[in-house]
Amino acid sequence: MRMRLTTVVTACALLCSPILARAAESEPATAQLSADQRAAALSAIEAAFRDKYVFPEMRPKILERLSTARSSGRYDVDDPRAFADRVTEDLQEVSHDKHVWMRVDPAAYAAASAPPDSDAGEEAYWRRQALRNNHGLTEMKILGGNIRYLKISGFEWVADVTGTAYDGAMRFLSGGDAAVIDLRGNGGGTHESVRYLVSHFLPGDVLEMTFLQGSKPPEQSRTLDHLAAGRLQGKPLYVLIDGGVASAAEAFAYDVQQFKLGELVGTRTAGAANNNELLPVAPEFILSISYGRPVHALSNANWEGEGVAPTLEASSEQALQVAQVHALARLSREPGATDEQRRDYAWAQVAAEASLHPIAVQAGRLRGLAGRYGRYEVTLRDGALWLARPNRPTARLSALSADGLFAIDSVDSVRVRLTGKALELLRADEPSPRVFPRG
C-alpha cells in the first residue's frame, strides 16, 4: 500500500498515521473560514464517510453526529483549526477510531491538488519527506556488549529507494550480538516498509497480514524471498514501544508479538489498526478516514482499540535501559559465548544497571575522594567529581556503584575506582587494575 494523498472522488489505498502526517503541516493557513466554506467542507466529509468508512454499520451514527453538531451551530467558527478540532472530536467520540481525524495542512492539500506527476504533486511531496527523514531511519549506534540500536521514527517508503536505506540498517544490526529497534513515538506510515523490515526476521513467503476493504478481494502481505542484507534470525531482538506507537508501527510490534520474534519493551501501544486514506477537503484541510482493516495471519484479528502489550514493562524513558540489562544478562548465559564476550557483557552490564538505577553519592563522601593520585588529580566541582589526566581533557566522573566505581564521561573502555586511599584505573581489556596511591 502506498502513502498517497487522494482526491475525494478518486481514492487509493493508504496506511498512514496522523502523527506522521502531522509533520507535514505548514504555514500560512486560511485566515478565516466562511460559512460557505464550512458548509462545503462538511458536505465533503459526510460524503466521504457515507461512501468509504470501513464499518458500514457505523456510518449512520457518524453522519447523525455531524448533522446534529452542524444544526446546533457547533461548527460555526471562522478559525479553520478550531473547526478541524471540533470535527475530529466528534468523529472520534462516535467511532472510537484513532485513524479518523481532520487537520489544516496547506502543503499537503496543495500537493494533492497539483498534477500527480509534477514536482509539486503528491508523489514528489511524499518522496521529499522520506528523503529528508532518511526514510524514518534516524539513528544507529553501538551500545555496550555490541548491542546494535536502530531508531525508526516513521515507516516511510519510496519505491526503489527506501529498500536500499533499510539494507544498510539491517547490515548494521546483523553485526551485533543483539538488536534493539526503537519505535517509541513512531506514529506509523506505509506497510511496504513494515513488510520489508519484518521479512528480515522471518523465512520468505510467510503470510503476514491480509487487508480487507469492503467487497474488494482481500490483499495479502507476505514476507519477501530475497533480501540484500540477508536474514537476521537467531539473535536476540528487543523492540521498544510506548503509547506513541501507532498504525504501521504497531503492525511491526504486533508481528513481533504474534510470531514471537523477540521482546517488546515499554508500555502498551495506541491501538490504531485500521487502514486510512487521506482526502483533501477545501479550502486547506486533510481528512483521514479508515477504509479497510488488517487481519493478522496468526491471530485472525488485529490491535484496533487494544494496542500491543509489552512483554517487559518499563516506562518509556527507561525502556532502552531495561532492554539493555535484559539482553546483556541473556547474552552472558549463552552456551556459545566466549570468555572475552562474557567479560564484555559484564563490563556493559555495570553501566546499564547504573543508568537504570542511578547511584547517588553524598557530597561529603565525594569531598573525601577528591585529591591527587600519582599523575591523576580528582577535584570536586558543581556537585560532581572531575578527573584531570596528563595530555587528556578533564572529564566528569559518574558513579557506577556504591563502592566508589566511577565511569569517565565519553570514555567507555576505562573506569576508576576511588577508595579514599588509592585510585584504581580499570580497563575493559585488562584483567587487573592499575593502582595509584593517594598523595
Side-chain angles (χ1 to χ4, degrees), residues 391-410:
N391 303 317
R392 299 286 182 86
T394 300
R396 190 177 186 274
L397 299 180
S398 301
L400 292 176
S401 69
D403 64 352
L405 182 64
F406 290 84
I408 304 173
D409 283 8
S410 302

Side-chain angles (χ1 to χ4, degrees), residues 343-394:
R343 285 195 299 270
D344 189 21
Y345 300 146
W347 182 274
Q349 186 85 15
V350 172
E353 290 280 4
S355 179
L356 185 60
H357 306 291
I359 305 298
V361 182
Q362 293 183 349
R365 173 157 171 75
L366 292 177
R367 192 176 300 109
L369 296 176
R372 178 167 288 280
Y373 301 85
R375 56 182 176 168
Y376 298 96
E377 185 174 4
V378 177
T379 57
L380 179 62
R381 175 161 50 91
D382 300 328
L385 293 178
W386 295 76
L387 178 67
R389 300 165 292 169
N391 303 317
R392 299 286 182 86
T394 300

Side-chain angles (χ1 to χ4, degrees), residues 18-61:
I19 296 175
L20 178 62
R22 201 173 292 131
E25 287 192 20
S26 62
E27 297 287 351
T30 301
Q32 288 189 329
L33 201 61
S34 69
D36 288 344
Q37 288 174 324
R38 287 195 300 270
L42 287 168
S43 295
I45 295 166
E46 290 167 351
F49 277 90
R50 185 180 300 111
D51 298 338
K52 299 175 181 294
Y53 190 59
V54 58
F55 301 113
E57 68 276 12
M58 291 298 299
R59 295 175 187 177
K61 297 178 182 179

Side-chain angles (χ1 to χ4, degrees), residues 69-152:
R70 187 203 285 234
S71 300
S72 69
R74 171 168 164 75
Y75 301 139
D76 293 347
V77 292
D78 57 14
D79 182 342
R81 287 189 171 83
F83 175 76
D85 289 344
R86 293 184 184 188
V87 169
T88 297
E89 289 169 5
D90 291 344
L91 292 175
Q92 292 190 348
E93 186 175 329
V94 177
S95 67
H96 304 290
D97 185 339
K98 294 180 180 179
H99 272 114
V100 170
W101 46 266
M102 190 170 79
R103 70 169 194 275
V104 179
D105 194 335
Y109 181 85
S113 304
D117 297 328
S118 70
D119 289 342
E122 55 201 52
E123 292 290 349
Y125 175 84
W126 289 116
R127 181 185 179 89
R128 287 193 298 271
Q129 294 290 327
L131 294 178
R132 188 173 181 83
N133 298 330
N134 192 40
H135 311 274
L137 307 174
T138 53
E139 185 178 0
M140 289 183 283
K141 58 186 176 182
I142 302 176
L143 306 175
N146 193 27
I147 297 173
R148 300 293 176 95
Y149 169 94
L150 171 65
K151 172 68 175 178
I152 305 180

Side-chain angles (χ1 to χ4, degrees), residues 230-418:
R231 312 267 169 194
L232 272 74
Q233 296 169 279
K235 294 185 179 182
L237 172 65
Y238 294 82
V239 179
L240 311 186
I241 57 175
D242 63 11
V245 174
S247 193
E250 287 181 284
F252 180 69
Y254 198 72
D255 279 336
V256 172
Q257 178 196 79
Q258 293 298 311
F259 288 114
K260 296 180 172 55
L261 302 179
E263 302 287 350
L264 295 169
V265 188
T267 60
R268 187 178 291 271
T269 62
N274 294 331
N275 308 134
N276 67 314
E277 184 176 6
L278 302 183
L279 307 176
V281 174
E284 293 179 326
F285 297 111
I286 291 294
L287 173 70
S288 174
I289 180 171
S290 298
Y291 69 88
R293 60 189 178 91
V295 176
H296 197 273
L298 296 188
S299 68
N300 200 35
N302 61 43
W303 57 95
E304 179 68 27
E306 297 183 4
V308 184
T311 54
L312 296 174
E313 290 192 9
S315 68
S316 180
E317 295 78 14
Q318 292 189 318
L320 176 57
Q321 291 89 337
V322 169
Q324 286 180 266
V325 168
H326 192 279
L328 290 165
R330 174 177 172 178
L331 289 169
S332 67
R333 295 192 300 267
E334 291 289 340
T338 65
D339 291 342
E340 181 183 2
Q341 286 176 318
R342 287 196 173 92
R343 285 195 299 270
D344 189 21
Y345 300 146
W347 182 274
Q349 186 85 15
V350 172
E353 290 280 4
S355 179
L356 185 60
H357 306 291
I359 305 298
V361 182
Q362 293 183 349
R365 173 157 171 75
L366 292 177
R367 192 176 300 109
L369 296 176
R372 178 167 288 280
Y373 301 85
R375 56 182 176 168
Y376 298 96
E377 185 174 4
V378 177
T379 57
L380 179 62
R381 175 161 50 91
D382 300 328
L385 293 178
W386 295 76
L387 178 67
R389 300 165 292 169
N391 303 317
R392 299 286 182 86
T394 300
R396 190 177 186 274
L397 299 180
S398 301
L400 292 176
S401 69
D403 64 352
L405 182 64
F406 290 84
I408 304 173
D409 283 8
S410 302
V411 183
D412 184 58
S413 60
V414 182
R415 293 169 182 167
V416 297
R417 187 187 305 279
L418 298 171

